[in-house]
């Protein structure tokens, strides 16, 4: 509910129903004390245009700082807190640069593309009030109309629809999707497509997220790539010619300077350097491969698992542990041992006539 008057009337009726029912009267008192006197902090009608419909991103940031940067510990010092927040902002800036370099689309851009695709399937009643104002019928409640106003013609922010050629500040709609979430709603897409169709008389079909992102840039990117390749080739040719001329001039100047050296040891060292340069020239003249050919990398999937490293183990044989023949005595043997130690039972050793050994009697 985006109208403040409607919300205030609904809130009064809700409070009256809570107070009149004895089962919910206690809750009505609690609600009036905790929420009724601070409506501007939580009601949607007081948060129009803010673009914040929940605190999930804020809670995620708090969790990251608490557990990943502070290791779940409480910090009472102000300097450590400021240092941690600066580390967090630094890492977020690096992540943002990486996403911009890769060209990754954000969730808000994906939501805008979904609404564009949905608007192409709609058949709503549209009325033009004046040059820059329209009234668009609601999809689910046909008796309700949303007011759309055009603010400017230029794209001033990255929150854009590449097909409709507009950003979030180009149009303004009275629907909750635009007022609360600050999103280019389907009604704005519908009006933009209708105006584009009347001006250009071309049919705009539903595009996928990848198609919408690439349609406007394929031709320009190809042209730029061709120009860059031609420019690189010309620069390489100029560089090779200039380097060869510089090398020849350097070699002639060195030949003239050799006459000034009279020490044989210095001449011997210079000759060694010239021999190494000659070997390098012979090696590079026989091989026409450029440095780029040696730097070719193999494209691998990003989720490929690492190869386990070979483990090394000792080949020295370990000593085998000697088994202990002694075992823990059982209950009967324990009683016999106790009787022997306490001299309650005597054993008489005698010799057998057949064997030369002592036996128990």
């Amino acid at each position: 509910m985006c109208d403040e008057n409607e919300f205030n009337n609904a809130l009064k009726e809700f409070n009256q129903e809570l107070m009149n029912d004895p089962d919910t009267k206690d809750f009505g008192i609690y609600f009036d004390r905790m929420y009724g006197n601070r409506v501007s902090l939580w009601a949607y009608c007081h948060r129009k245009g803010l673009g914040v419909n929940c605190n999930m991103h804020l809670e995620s940031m708090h969790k990251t700082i608490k557990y990943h940067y502070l290791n779940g510990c409480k910090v009472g010092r102000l300097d450590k807190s400021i240092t941690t927040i600066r580390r967090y902002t630094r890492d977020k800036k690096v992540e943002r640069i990486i996403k911009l370099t890769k060209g990754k689309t954000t969730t808000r851009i994906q939501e805008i593309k979904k609404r564009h695709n949905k608007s192409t399937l709609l058949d709503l009643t549209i009325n033009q009030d004046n040059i820059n104002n329209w009234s668009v019928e609601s999809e689910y409640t046909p008796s309700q109309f949303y007011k759309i106003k055009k603010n400017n013609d230029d794209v001033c922010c990255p929150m854009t629809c590449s097909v409709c050629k507009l950003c979030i500040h180009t149009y303004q709609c009275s629907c909750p999707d635009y007022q609360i979430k600050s999103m280019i709603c389907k009604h704005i897409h519908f009006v933009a497509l209708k105006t584009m169709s009347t001006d250009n008389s071309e049919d705009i079909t539903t595009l996928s997220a990848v198609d919408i992102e690439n349609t406007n840039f394929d031709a320009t990117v190809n042209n730029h790539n061709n120009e860059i390749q031609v420019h690189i080739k010309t620069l390489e040719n100029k560089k090779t010619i200039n380097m060869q001329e510089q090398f020849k001039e350097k070699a002639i100047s060195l030949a003239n300077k050799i006459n000034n050296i009279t020490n044989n040891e210095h001449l011997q060292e210079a000759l060694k350097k010239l021999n190494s340069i000659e070997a390098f020239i012979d090696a590079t003249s026989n091989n026409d491969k450029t440095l780029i050919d040696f730097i070719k990398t193999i494209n691998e999937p990003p989720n490929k698992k690492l190869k386990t490293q070979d483990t090394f183990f000792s080949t020295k044989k370990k000593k085998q542990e000697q088994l202990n023949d002694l075992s823990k005595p059982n209950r009967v043997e324990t009683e016999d041992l106790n009787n022997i130690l306490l001299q309650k039972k005597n054993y008489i050793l005698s010799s057998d006539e057949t064997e030369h050994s002592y036996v128990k009697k």
Side-chain angles (χ1 to χ4, degrees):
M1 188 178 295
C2 295
D3 191 5
E4 295 182 10
N5 295 325
E6 293 181 3
F7 175 77
N8 291 329
N9 295 329
L11 182 62
K12 289 179 182 179
E13 294 178 359
F14 178 70
N15 287 331
Q16 289 178 1
E17 290 181 359
L18 291 178
M19 293 298 182
N20 294 330
D21 192 351
D23 295 334
T24 60
K25 186 176 180 179
D26 294 336
F27 177 74
I29 296 170
Y30 167 78
F31 180 82
D32 191 19
R33 185 179 70 253
M34 300 300 296
Y35 297 97
N37 57 355
R38 54 183 75 181
V39 176
S40 59
L41 299 179
W42 57 271
Y44 278 156
C45 61
H46 296 281
R47 299 168 65 183
K48 293 183 290 186
L50 295 178
V52 180
N53 61 338
C54 63
N55 62 344
M56 297 300 292
H57 296 287
L58 189 63
E59 293 295 333
S60 177
M61 183 188 72
H62 289 167
K63 182 179 179 181
T64 303
I65 293 173
K66 182 177 180 180
Y67 293 102
H68 295 279
Y69 289 88
L70 298 176
N71 297 323
C73 300
K74 293 182 179 180
V75 178
R77 292 177 54 177
L78 183 62
D79 55 347
K80 289 187 177 180
S81 302
I82 294 174
T83 304
T84 303
I85 294 172
R86 292 187 65 182
R87 285 173 53 206
Y88 175 77
T89 54
R90 178 200 63 188
D91 296 341
K92 283 298 178 182
K93 287 180 180 178
V94 174
E95 290 179 4
R96 180 61 178 165
I97 293 171
I98 293 172
K99 289 179 181 179
L100 291 175
T101 305
K102 291 183 177 181
K104 183 180 179 181
T105 57
T106 60
T107 54
R108 295 180 70 87
I109 297 296
Q110 294 176 2
E111 291 295 328
I112 289 173
K113 291 173 181 178
K114 288 180 182 179
R115 284 160 176 78
H116 173 84
N117 292 334
K118 190 174 182 179
S119 65
T120 57
L121 305 175
L122 296 177
D123 187 11
L124 304 176
T125 303
I126 181 172
N127 298 324
Q128 187 171 3
D129 300 335
N130 51 37
I131 299 175
N132 293 326
N133 291 311
W134 293 267
S135 297
V136 181
E137 182 185 9
S138 177
E139 182 182 2
Y140 301 105
T141 55
S143 60
Q144 185 178 3
F145 283 82
Y146 295 112
K147 299 293 183 180
I148 296 176
K149 180 182 178 181
K150 188 173 184 180
N151 296 324
N152 52 17
D153 296 327
D154 299 329
V155 178
C156 60
C157 70
M159 292 283 294
T160 60
C161 177
S162 58
V163 178
C164 298
K165 303 294 190 302
L166 56 91
C167 71
I168 195 171
H169 303 98
T170 306
Y171 289 87
Q172 182 179 354
C173 184
S174 61
C175 69
D177 197 15
Y178 181 87
Q179 295 290 334
I180 304 303
K181 298 181 180 180
S182 293
M183 194 71 62
I184 303 177
C185 60
K186 56 188 176 183
H187 310 104
I188 295 176
H189 285 292
F190 187 75
V191 172
L193 292 176
K194 289 295 181 182
T195 54
M196 289 174 64
S197 62
T198 54
D199 295 337
N200 302 326
S201 65
E202 293 180 357
D203 295 332
I204 299 176
T205 56
T206 303
L207 300 177
S208 62
V210 179
D211 295 333
I212 293 173
E213 186 177 357
N214 296 329
T215 49
N216 297 321
F217 299 99
D218 286 341
T220 56
V221 169
N222 291 328
N223 294 329
H224 285 301
N225 289 334
N226 294 329
E227 293 177 359
I228 290 170
Q229 290 177 359
V230 173
H231 186 62
I232 289 172
K233 288 181 180 179
T234 55
L235 289 176
E236 287 178 352
N237 294 329
K238 290 181 181 179
K239 286 181 179 179
T240 53
I241 294 170
N242 294 329
M243 293 298 293
Q244 288 177 357
E245 292 178 354
Q246 291 178 6
F247 187 82
K248 290 179 181 179
E249 293 177 357
K250 195 72 173 178
I252 293 170
S253 64
L254 289 175
N256 295 326
K257 291 179 180 179
I258 289 174
N259 296 324
N260 299 326
I261 301 175
T262 58
N263 192 348
N264 292 328
E265 294 180 357
H266 294 172
L267 288 172
Q268 188 175 1
E269 291 294 329
L271 186 61
K272 289 181 181 179
K273 300 287 180 65
L274 290 175
N275 290 331
S276 62
I277 293 173
E278 184 181 5
F280 176 76
I281 293 172
D282 293 337
T284 54
S285 61
N286 295 328
N287 190 4
D288 295 332
K289 290 185 178 181
T290 59
L291 185 62
I292 300 173
D293 296 331
F294 296 99
I295 306 178
K296 288 183 178 179
T297 57
I298 301 172
N299 293 326
E300 295 182 349
N303 58 350
K304 183 179 179 180
K305 294 183 178 180
L306 294 175
K307 184 180 179 182
T308 56
Q309 187 176 2
D310 295 334
T311 57
F312 298 96
F313 55 92
S314 177
T315 57
K316 185 178 180 180
K317 291 184 178 180
K318 295 181 180 180
K319 289 185 177 180
Q320 294 182 356
E321 295 181 358
Q322 295 180 356
L323 297 176
N324 191 1
D325 295 335
L326 299 177
S327 60
K328 186 177 181 179
N330 54 19
R331 186 177 60 82
V332 177
E333 294 176 348
T334 304
E335 292 179 355
D336 292 339
L337 290 173
N338 291 332
N339 294 329
I340 293 171
L341 294 174
L342 296 174
Q343 296 180 357
K344 293 182 179 180
K345 187 176 182 180
N346 296 324
Y347 286 95
I348 300 173
L349 298 179
S350 61
S351 58
D352 194 359
E353 295 178 357
T354 58
E355 296 180 0
H356 298 282
S357 63
Y358 293 96
V359 294
K360 297 177 182 180
K361 288 187 179 180

